Amino acid sequence: MSGEGPAEPAEAPREAPVRELAVPETSLVVLVGASGSGKSTFGREAFGPYEVVSSDVCRGMVSGDENDQAATKDAFDLLSYVVAKRLAAGRLTVVDATNVQREARRHLVELARAHDVLPVAVVLDVPEQVCLQRNELRADRTFGAHVVRRQRDQLRRSLRGLGREGFRTVHVLRTPEEVAGARVVRTRLLVDRRDERGPFDVVGDVHGCRAELEALLGRLGYTLLRDERGRPVDAVHPQGRRVVLLGDLVDRGPDSPGVLRLAMGMHASGTALVVPGNHEAKLVRALSGAEVTTGHGLAETLAQLAAEPEDFRVAVREWCRELVSHLVLDGGDLVVAHAGMTEAYAGRASGRVRSFALYGDTTGETDELGLPVRYPWARDYRGAATVLYGHTPVPEPEWTNRTMCLDTGCVFGGSLSALRWPEREVVQVPAEQVWYEPVRPLAPPGDPGAEGAAQDRGEDELDVEDVLGRRVVETAHHGRVSVRAEQAAGALEVVSRFAVHPRWLVHLPPTTAPVATSRRPDLLEHPDEAFAAYAAEGVEQVVCEEKHMGSRALVLVAADQEAATTRFGAPVGETGAVLTRTGRAFLPRPLAEELLGQVRAAATQAGLWEELGTSWLLLDCELLPWTAKAEELVRDSYAAVGAAARALLPAAAQVLETAAARGLDVGELLSRTRARHHGAEAFTRAYRRYTGADHTPGSLDGVQLAPFALLAAEGLLGATRDHLQHLAWADRLVAADPVRFRATQRVVVDTGDAASCAAGVAWWEELCAAGGEGAVVKPVVGLQRGPRGLVQPALKVRGPEYLRLVYGPDYLLPEHLSRLRQRDLGRKRSLALREHALGVESLTRLLDREPLWRVHEAAVAVLALESDPVDPRL
């Protein structure tokens, strides 16, 4: 028997304790630890591959060697640049470096502050021996143990001061087990309430006017709940709506405690959201015992609160202290803050953001009344979200870009205002009396002396930055559409020099993609390819519309002068516009107004104003004859080519015939010349069809409109309606005025039915044989999506004789037709889709009553894309 005792059981491996590390979704995470502490492994396992910016990787990028210490300065320059770019985009970013020196951390904290994100430190303070052992196992770690000891010493001496350095949160992991068990939990910032979808009723500055607040809530449909003493302590809406209070609940008015009691009750029950105002911030300091001046109504509030129990005053102080600077609501579409919020600050957290939310932006100067001169931030606002705010009293709420001030000076004798969201309806109740005399009287809208008046941006006041430079336009139906700087510059020149007044430039039509090249030996385009293309996209029904040989024209017409002025800011004498594809005026103003009057009369007779409930219409048309716009082109190009060919080719053929009669072998050349002569004759017949013999230049004689789509009317986006409905509206205009309007022939085709497709082909052939230009094939249902995304809104199938005008008289000769079959259609199709999405976007923004610069952003982008190097014959 052995003298040894029984073997002890093997120790079970210890399970690492799970520890959650809270990290805000938008933050800068700084990993801190000595070499060998496991920072890189932790960063790789806890965060995404693109979220971690490593100093070693940056060192390798600039020098080719991650351990080249001579490249450290350049490496950290690169690291800082990448971190800054990510923070500017609002992306969580993790810095993987030792960061044991205060100076390195200071720079990173400054980066976080510069981009208004929270800095978070995750410290890996593992034992020195662990770091040394890990470094020994790595061949690239050639430095001695003294380096690790120095780094750990620097770390331990700075641990307690990380909070003072500016880190909002500090997580310390002290053992390998703690590191292994740590789990990062991403938390939303308190300002991020995007999941709160509403509907909301956003209320401006109350300033102690409890009676008016009760009246406004009643008008908004809320039922007040009262305590045993009859005081309102909550309010509920039968439809589940919620109130959003924009701060400045206190001071100046008669019952600040009553307003606070109601607001705190609603906030506690979830029937209200609240952001603080500058008056609440000052009240917190006063209730905390700080020395503050008691002007601007604070003295009255403190006196009113003195009559309340101590526990109420404590509750008020703590409640106001906990309110967050601003809120991002409704999926990011709505931002609420007391004094406003810029696009760059929305959804971020810093002292600078809170200051802006409470006080706005000032120039640092004071006016003659001792009031701060405020910077007109709303005038320059370019964000996609709507911002609702108060702080600076205005006589009436008015939209400035996508912002609205709802402080209408109730305490000064004005009114208490609310905006229903998403309805965008303003609801108001008048003040019972003037509770507090304002330092500056409320001035009429637009008065330069009115506080906040400088924020109003005129209806026609645009900024070159709205359309200049490289841009990315967000569209609802095709994602992000990029516009290069050189494209934008070209579009700006056209718009600034040649386009109609900006008020009418609300949409530009997209180009139309041609159908795929036909497989038939004698044709370049045929409807079969259009039907097959749409069938492949799952489009079951299409409409083939006659393609008029005219010029694309947009007709924007108001029902009367009042509608033109109210909706578009038009002066007397302007009731709409007739635009070309590039935004130019199609006709001189007197002729345009004459035509608009006839369109208006036809719409009235057709009953469109009443049926659609609109005061304006935007029609997509062809204006005929073609020579109304292209007279010089026909005379100087087409007619000249046709005349030369008809004069020379018969003579050449005669000479060749004589040569052939003498026995010379010129048969092939003679056949070719006769074919060219035939082509020249056909070319001449083709352009002569469109010269408009009845048209008198400088008048509307012989001018017709062929409408084929109602692009928009108030409350109606035409892209969402089917094309048969559009053509039915067009038919009613034709019936009302058959002299000025021309009908568009059409046939409906089921793409999966061979007989229906054959009937569509026969219709197209008959149309072309009668001298027609061809057809445009469109899905009956608008805005269809297929397996590859948005479906082409239209494919043009041009007739063989019309294509002579495009490709020349001889294009059907075999050698030319073979070459043309190689034409590249991909770029044109991509362009058509992008322009279509931009066109729908511009009209959507118009109907949403967004500022004109937002409408222009999409509309002018269409013009910018037209400068793409695409074959103009396609």
Side-chain angles (χ1 to χ4, degrees):
M1 174 178 252
S2 168
E4 297 179 359
E8 295 183 359
E11 182 179 351
R14 289 184 295 175
E15 185 175 332
V18 176
R19 176 178 170 187
E20 293 186 346
L21 310 182
V23 172
E25 286 181 341
T26 305
S27 62
L28 175 62
V29 180
V30 178
L31 302 182
V32 184
S35 176
S37 60
K39 299 182 305 304
S40 298
T41 301
F42 175 79
R44 184 168 55 251
E45 294 176 350
F47 300 98
Y50 299 111
E51 292 177 328
V52 179
V53 184
S54 164
S55 61
D56 286 347
V57 171
C58 290
R59 192 178 289 110
M61 291 179 69
V62 299
S63 71
D65 180 1
E66 291 190 0
N67 295 298
D68 183 359
Q69 298 302 311
T72 295
K73 181 181 183 302
D74 290 339
F76 275 88
D77 286 345
L78 175 60
L79 181 144
S80 298
Y81 180 81
V82 174
V83 168
K85 287 295 184 182
R86 288 187 57 84
L87 295 182
R91 302 187 184 282
L92 185 145
T93 304
V94 181
V95 175
D96 175 16
T98 57
N99 295 315
V100 293
Q101 295 178 329
R102 180 186 179 93
E103 185 62 24
R105 297 191 299 270
R106 183 185 63 80
H107 173 65
L108 295 173
V109 170
E110 288 174 353
L111 270 177
R113 287 173 175 166
H115 294 89
D116 303 290
V117 301
L118 299 177
V120 175
V122 177
V123 182
L124 280 68
D125 185 23
V126 299
E128 177 183 311
Q129 195 59 34
V130 172
C131 296
L132 293 174
Q133 290 174 354
R134 289 173 174 171
N135 285 332
E136 287 177 0
L137 297 175
R138 294 182 55 176
D140 59 342
R141 297 291 170 91
T142 58
F143 48 79
H146 66 284
V147 173
V148 173
R149 294 190 183 98
R150 184 178 67 247
Q151 291 175 348
R152 292 201 74 255
D153 181 61
Q154 292 171 326
L155 170 61
R156 300 306 293 271
R157 283 189 284 111
S158 59
L159 256 181
R160 293 184 179 180
L162 290 177
R164 292 191 297 273
E165 290 180 19
F167 287 99
R168 187 64 61 91
T169 304
V170 178
H171 299 294
V172 182
L173 305 173
R174 300 188 183 279
T175 67
E177 290 76 19
E178 283 189 3
V179 175
R183 297 291 181 268
V184 170
V185 177
R186 301 180 188 227
T187 61
R188 282 190 174 184
L189 294 174
L190 295 177
V191 300
D192 184 357
R193 303 291 291 273
R194 286 172 295 175
D195 55 323
E196 303 279 2
R197 293 287 182 172
F200 301 112
D201 298 303
V202 186
V203 179
D205 301 28
V206 180
H207 279 301
C209 299
R210 178 187 52 78
E212 288 87 342
L213 178 58
E214 291 185 32
L216 180 61
L217 292 174
R219 183 164 294 183
L220 291 167
Y222 290 80
T223 298
L224 291 170
L225 304 181
R226 301 179 183 273
D227 64 11
E228 66 281 357
R229 296 173 56 182
R231 300 175 300 185
V233 293
D234 200 353
V236 295
H237 196 283
Q239 297 173 349
R241 300 181 70 91
R242 288 194 291 169
V243 170
V244 179
L245 296 167
L246 292 177
D248 276 7
L249 303 171
V250 301
D251 295 351
R252 296 175 174 153
D255 191 2
S256 289
V259 171
L260 287 167
R261 186 176 291 107
L262 177 55
M264 292 164 65
M266 294 178 69
H267 189 250
S269 69
T271 58
L273 301 172
V274 187
V275 294
N278 56 298
H279 284 261
E280 280 76 48
K282 194 173 184 180
L283 177 61
V284 168
R285 296 198 301 274
L287 293 176
S288 301
E291 242 184 77
V292 297
T293 58
T294 57
H296 305 292
L298 177 59
E300 290 83 349
T301 297
L302 293 174
Q304 293 165 11
L305 285 171
E308 299 289 334
E310 174 64 19
D311 60 348
F312 181 76
R313 291 193 295 274
V314 171
V316 166
R317 182 190 66 201
E318 296 308 310
W319 180 74
C320 291
R321 193 200 307 275
E322 294 301 316
L323 295 176
V324 297
S325 63
H326 68 288
L327 298 174
V328 180
L329 305 169
D330 196 11
D333 290 340
L334 177 64
V335 176
V336 294
H338 174 62
M341 186 57 52
T342 67
E343 181 183 16
Y345 289 172
R348 308 229 173 183
S350 69
R352 179 168 59 177
V353 172
R354 184 174 180 83
S355 176
F356 193 100
L358 291 177
Y359 306 103
D361 198 4
T362 64
T363 65
E365 303 171 330
T366 56
D367 62 15
E368 68 279 3
L369 299 174
L371 298 174
V373 177
R374 306 193 187 284
Y375 183 79
W377 67 271
R379 185 183 63 194
D380 300 324
Y381 181 71
R382 294 294 182 276
T386 296
V387 179
L388 300 179
Y389 66 104
H391 188 54
T392 304
V394 294
E396 292 293 335
E398 291 183 350
W399 288 107
T400 300
N401 295 324
R402 278 187 159 185
T403 76
M404 177 178 277
C405 179
L406 290 170
D407 180 4
T408 45
C410 181
V411 76
F412 301 130
S415 59
L416 187 60
S417 299
L419 181 85
R420 293 184 184 273
W421 179 270
E423 300 87 346
R424 297 172 183 260
E425 173 193 352
V426 174
V427 180
Q428 296 179 299
V429 296
E432 290 188 350
Q433 66 179 69
V434 176
W435 298 106
Y436 196 92
E437 289 293 339
V439 176
R440 174 188 291 132
L442 293 180
D447 186 331
E451 195 169 343
Q455 294 187 12
D456 294 337
R457 187 176 181 182
E459 183 111 1
D460 302 328
E461 186 182 342
L462 302 171
D463 192 318
V464 69
E465 297 298 326
D466 296 335
V467 296
L468 198 58
R470 185 184 182 280
R471 312 194 66 76
V472 176
V473 183
E474 294 282 353
T475 68
H477 299 285
H478 198 58
R480 296 159 67 90
V481 177
S482 298
V483 178
R484 300 192 305 274
E486 61 271 23
Q487 293 174 315
L492 178 63
E493 181 176 10
V494 173
V495 169
S496 59
R497 294 182 60 189
F498 307 113
V500 297
H501 194 285
R503 70 172 64 92
W504 304 120
L505 194 65
V506 297
H507 176 78
L508 289 176
T511 189
T512 304
V515 72
T517 302
S518 174
R519 298 185 181 91
R520 299 173 184 242
D522 56 342
L523 289 175
L524 196 60
E525 296 180 2
H526 190 273
D528 278 347
E529 279 66 36
F531 302 153
Y534 280 125
E537 293 285 357
V539 178
E540 298 177 353
Q541 201 173 50
V542 296
V543 57
C544 304
E545 299 177 6
E546 172 188 6
K547 193 174 190 301
H548 298 279
M549 185 51 180
S551 301
R552 190 79 171 267
L554 295 182
V555 178
L556 177 54
V557 57
D560 50 38
Q561 181 67 65
E562 181 182 358
T565 301
T566 302
R567 186 62 171 92
F568 298 98
V572 174
E574 289 188 20
T575 60
V578 184
L579 291 74
T580 68
R581 276 203 67 231
T582 55
R584 292 169 167 85
F586 218 119
L587 302 165
R589 175 52 62 181
L591 280 183
E593 284 299 324
E594 182 181 347
L595 181 59
L596 290 169
Q598 294 168 356
V599 174
R600 185 179 303 112
T604 301
Q605 186 172 336
L608 294 183
W609 306 115
E610 294 79 8
E611 176 185 321
L612 301 175
T614 185
S615 63
W616 58 274
L617 301 170
L618 179 60
L619 298 169
D620 204 352
C621 313
E622 286 285 322
L623 190 146
L624 301 102
W626 189 33
T627 47
K629 177 185 175 186
E631 184 174 1
E632 290 185 6
L633 175 66
V634 172
R635 183 182 64 245
D636 299 340
S637 296
Y638 294 156
V641 170
R646 294 195 313 276
L648 296 175
L649 291 173
Q654 187 174 2
V655 170
L656 291 171
E657 288 169 354
T658 301
R662 293 178 179 177
L664 295 177
D665 185 14
V666 294
E668 183 178 347
L669 182 57
L670 177 59
S671 297
R672 176 181 171 83
T673 302
R674 285 171 176 168
R676 294 185 65 195
H677 180 220
H678 171 76
E681 291 289 348
F683 179 83
T684 302
R685 289 193 300 273
Y687 78 74
R688 281 179 175 171
R689 293 189 185 105
Y690 311 120
T691 54
D694 297 334
H695 174 56
T696 303
S699 75
L700 295 180
D701 295 342
V703 170
Q704 285 190 304
L705 288 173
F708 52 83
L710 175 57
L711 291 172
E714 199 68 78
L716 184 150
L717 178 63
T720 62
R721 301 297 182 95
D722 71 56
H723 283 287
L724 298 180
Q725 176 64 73
H726 286 284
L727 292 170
W729 283 324
D731 288 345
R732 287 162 60 180
L733 292 173
V734 174
D737 187 351
V739 174
R740 188 60 66 205
F741 290 93
R742 179 184 293 188
T744 297
Q745 301 178 57
R746 81 296 302 253
V747 64
V748 177
V749 172
D750 292 331
T751 60
D753 184 338
S756 180
C757 291
V761 170
W763 175 86
W764 176 81
E765 290 173 342
E766 182 180 343
L767 188 70
C768 294
E773 178 183 340
V776 177
V777 183
K778 305 175 180 178
V780 168
V781 178
L783 289 176
Q784 289 214 41
R785 302 192 73 82
R788 291 169 292 184
L790 189 64
V791 170
Q792 286 286 352
L795 292 172
K796 57 187 176 185
V797 188
R798 296 166 289 185
E801 293 307 313
Y802 169 74
L803 284 172
R804 290 187 191 276
L805 298 180
V806 178
Y807 291 109
D810 304 332
Y811 90 101
L812 283 177
L813 293 177
E815 61 270 28
H816 296 315
L817 196 57
S818 175
R819 173 176 50 82
L820 291 174
R821 290 186 187 282
Q822 309 306 314
R823 57 187 185 160
D824 179 16
L825 303 179
R827 190 184 295 271
K828 180 76 169 184
R829 289 172 174 171
S830 171
L831 182 65
L833 275 180
R834 285 177 286 148
E835 290 185 0
H836 175 55
L838 288 167
V840 174
E841 185 67 24
S842 69
L843 292 177
T844 301
R845 295 178 181 187
L846 174 69
L847 293 174
D848 286 344
R849 293 183 175 267
E850 295 197 27
L852 187 57
W853 72 265
R854 283 272 298 166
V855 177
H856 278 182
E857 183 182 46
V860 177
V862 174
L863 185 59
L865 293 185
E866 281 293 303
S867 63
D868 261 8
V870 177
D871 186 347
R873 301 172 299 175
L874 293 177

